[in-house]
């Protein structure tokens, strides 16, 4: 059993799906074939019973019609006209009698004896009948007619006794068929219950081995998208596509965490060295550029992008377009932040990055937060410092709207005004006192100061307006703006 479980865990997802679907189809086909065979058996047995009834009643009706024709034939006034009808009735009765011949192999003993008695009586009846048809004397014909009526009465009694026996025997056969069908229905029901239980266990196993790891992988990707690299690694229990992807994901997360730790330590050392050098503004600028260049040089972008591409391809194969879209946007987000070494980028690229980030956050927060970008297409080629919009939106989500259960709104707008190009990021969150920043909001201040310093170095500036309880607006002004 342990070997089978391990074999299942290491099996490819495609093969798992094929085995599960094959098992379900096999069970369905088995039920369909079994039901069809049972129906055919029931139909054959029903046909045998009904044919016996048809043969007996057909002979009874034909013989009765023959007796009626005989009475018409015995009338002197219509004898010539009734003779043809009487001969036709005799022929029909003979055909019905031939269909009701006794069979020692299929008939029960009592019915076989009755059928044999009917056949013998009919043979004697036909002999007397031929004599009647050959007579011309009316008196002798009447004597023979009365003899035929007596024989017909005996034959009719045999037929009715045979019909009664057939009805009794048919009732017993119907009861046997009903009992057999009830047993088959119970077996089918038991098989259906067993198949349902097995399919439920198979689906549970499939969920545990495929759906749950995929969900954990998506949750881990969401965690990394928020900038948290200290989350515990994904649990790896298989060697299928998801297991290999999770292993690559863990390696990527570990590499990023090690790189960030190394950068933080190096940044501390650089900070102490730079404190003894030139003025504080130039020192801060070189430190930021050093951090950014170091991060881009040490993280292997291709490893990150290939891993995310593998996850996106797996989501597409599993027909999960939402997960594929989110992973693709996350890949573009990392590519923009890691592979590009430009310090100034077109505003259009910043807007596209922000749309990817907002799509990720809207998927995470659902209807709690609504995001809107109103961008002037004529300003897309204006160059701005890289990464100035996404941190502002992230601050609005994490610190402005975290207390709101619903109704959160973030609006980003770009326009050209009298003072230059203006970009505003507005939220309706809790707001804060810009003069007295709480201790818990310290990293918010660091992020805003970072953007403010870079804007001043590029010739613009950043202003933040906030009212506690009403919301916050961050306004970036780019003096004039250069075309990319």
């Amino acid at each position: 059993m342990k070997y089978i479980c391990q074999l299942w865990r290491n099996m490819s997802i495609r093969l798992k799906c094929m085995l599960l679907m094959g098992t379900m189809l096999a069970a369905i086909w088995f039920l369909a074939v079994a039901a069809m065979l049972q129906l055919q058996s029931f139909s054959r047995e029903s046909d045998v019973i009904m044919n016996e009834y048809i043969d007996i009643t057909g002979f009874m009706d034909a013989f009765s019609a023959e007796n009626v024709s005989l009475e018409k034939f015995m009338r002197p006034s219509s004898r010539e006209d009734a003779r043809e009808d009487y001969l036709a009735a005799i022929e029909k009765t003979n055909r019905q009698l031939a269909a009701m011949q006794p069979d020692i192999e299929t008939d029960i003993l009592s019915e076989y004896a009755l059928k044999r008695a009917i056949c013998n009586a009919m043979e004697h009846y036909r002999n007397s009948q031929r004599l009647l048809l050959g007579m011309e004397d009316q008196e002798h014909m009447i004597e023979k007619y009365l003899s035929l009526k007596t024989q017909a009465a005996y034959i009719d009694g045999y037929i009715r006794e045979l019909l009664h026996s057939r009805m009794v025997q048919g009732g017993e056969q119907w009861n046997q068929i009903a009992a057999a069908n009830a047993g088959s229905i119970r077996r089918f029901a038991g098989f259906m219950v067993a198949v349902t239980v097995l399919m439920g266990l198979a689906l549970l196993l499939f969920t545990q081995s495929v759906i749950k790891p995929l969900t954990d992988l998506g949750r881990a990707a969401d965690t990394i998208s928020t900038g948290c690299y200290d989350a515990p690694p994904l649990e790896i229990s298989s060697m299928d596509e998801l297991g290999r992807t999770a292993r690559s994901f863990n390696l990527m997360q570990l590499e990023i965490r090690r790189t960030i730790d190394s950068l933080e330590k190096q940044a501390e050392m650089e900070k102490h060295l730079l404190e003894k050098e030139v003025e504080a503004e130039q020192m801060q600028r070189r430190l930021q550029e050093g951090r950014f260049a170091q991060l881009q040089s040490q993280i292997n972008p291709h490893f990150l992008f290939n891993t995310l591409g593998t996850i996106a391809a797996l989501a597409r194969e599993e027909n999960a377009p939402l997960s594929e879209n989110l992973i693709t946007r996350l890949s573009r987000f990392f590519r923009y932040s890691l592979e590009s070494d430009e310090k100034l980028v077109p505003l259009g690229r910043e807007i596209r990055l922000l749309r990817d980030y907002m799509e990720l956050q809207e998927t995470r927060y659902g209807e709690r937060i609504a995001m809107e970008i109103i961008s002037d297409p004529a300003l897309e080629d204006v160059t701005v410092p890289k990464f100035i919009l996404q941190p502002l939106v992230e601050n609005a989500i994490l610190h402005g709207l975290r207390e709101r259960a619903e109704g959160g709104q973030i609006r980003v707008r770009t326009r050209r005004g009298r003072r230059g190009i203006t970009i505003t990021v507005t939220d309706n969150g809790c707001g804060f006192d810009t003069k007295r920043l709480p201790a818990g909001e310290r990293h918010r201040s660091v992020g805003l100061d970072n953007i403010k310093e870079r804007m001043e170095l590029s010739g613009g500036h950043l202003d933040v307006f906030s009212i506690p309880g009403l919301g916050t607006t961050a306004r970036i002004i780019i003096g004039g703006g250069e075309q990319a």
Side-chain angles (χ1 to χ4, degrees), residues 206-233:
F206 185 80
T207 301
Q208 291 295 323
S209 59
V210 176
I211 304 301
K212 184 178 181 299
L214 185 59
T215 303
D216 294 341
L217 190 60
R219 189 180 297 109
D222 292 338
T223 302
I224 287 184
S225 69
T226 63
C228 178
Y229 301 99
D230 296 328

Side-chain angles (χ1 to χ4, degrees), residues 242-309:
L242 286 174
R244 295 194 297 271
T245 302
R247 184 175 288 102
S248 300
F249 195 91
N250 288 339
L251 291 175
M252 177 194 71
Q253 180 181 352
L254 180 61
E255 183 67 21
I256 293 175
R257 187 164 59 245
R258 288 176 177 174
T259 301
I260 292 177
D261 292 341
S262 176
L263 290 176
E264 289 178 350
K265 293 179 181 179
Q266 185 172 351
E268 289 295 329
M269 296 175 61
E270 290 178 356
K271 183 177 180 180
H272 292 298
L273 293 175
L274 290 175
E275 285 177 352
K276 300 179 181 179
E277 296 181 2
V278 294
E279 56 187 333
E281 181 178 282
Q282 295 177 346
M283 290 168 47
Q284 183 69 18
R285 181 178 180 181
R286 283 197 298 269
L287 180 60
Q288 292 168 353
E289 292 178 354
R291 287 177 178 173
F292 192 73
Q294 185 92 14
L295 179 62
Q296 287 184 317
S297 64
Q298 291 193 12
I299 295 180
N300 186 348
H302 295 289
F303 173 78
L304 176 64
F305 303 147
N306 289 340
T307 301
L308 293 177

Side-chain angles (χ1 to χ4, degrees), residues 303-446:
F303 173 78
L304 176 64
F305 303 147
N306 289 340
T307 301
L308 293 177
T310 300
I311 299 173
L314 180 61
R316 182 168 56 253
E317 182 178 347
E318 295 297 326
N319 194 21
L322 178 59
S323 299
E324 179 187 0
N325 179 48
L326 295 179
I327 295 171
T328 302
R329 290 182 181 274
L330 177 62
S331 177
R332 289 203 299 262
F333 186 88
F334 280 146
R335 186 182 297 276
Y336 179 80
S337 62
L338 297 179
E339 286 196 341
S340 176
D341 56 358
E342 304 174 35
K343 300 177 180 64
L344 296 176
V345 297
L347 178 59
R349 289 185 64 186
E350 279 286 296
I351 294 295
R352 288 192 292 273
L353 170 71
L354 188 59
R355 291 186 189 277
D356 288 340
Y357 177 77
M358 284 185 169
E359 180 72 16
L360 292 171
Q361 296 303 320
E362 285 179 343
T363 302
R364 177 184 179 187
Y365 291 101
E367 299 180 355
R368 285 180 53 193
I369 300 177
M371 304 183 187
E372 181 183 13
I373 297 178
I374 304 175
S375 176
D376 186 353
L379 304 179
E380 289 190 355
D381 294 332
V382 174
T383 57
V384 297
K386 186 177 180 181
F387 255 109
I388 60 171
L389 298 183
Q390 186 271 336
L392 295 177
V393 174
E394 183 177 0
N395 272 339
I397 294 174
L398 296 180
H399 306 293
L401 301 174
R402 62 183 177 183
E403 300 295 335
R404 296 186 68 99
E406 59 181 9
Q409 293 183 355
I410 297 177
R411 174 178 292 178
V412 179
R413 183 177 182 183
T414 66
R415 59 187 175 87
R416 186 185 296 275
R418 290 180 300 174
R419 301 174 60 185
I421 296 171
T422 302
I423 305 172
T424 58
V425 178
T426 304
D427 66 75
N428 62 346
C430 59
F432 63 96
D433 190 347
T434 56
K435 296 180 180 180
R436 296 188 301 173
L437 192 64
E441 301 286 336
R442 188 172 299 165
H443 57 287
R444 178 212 288 262
S445 178
V446 171

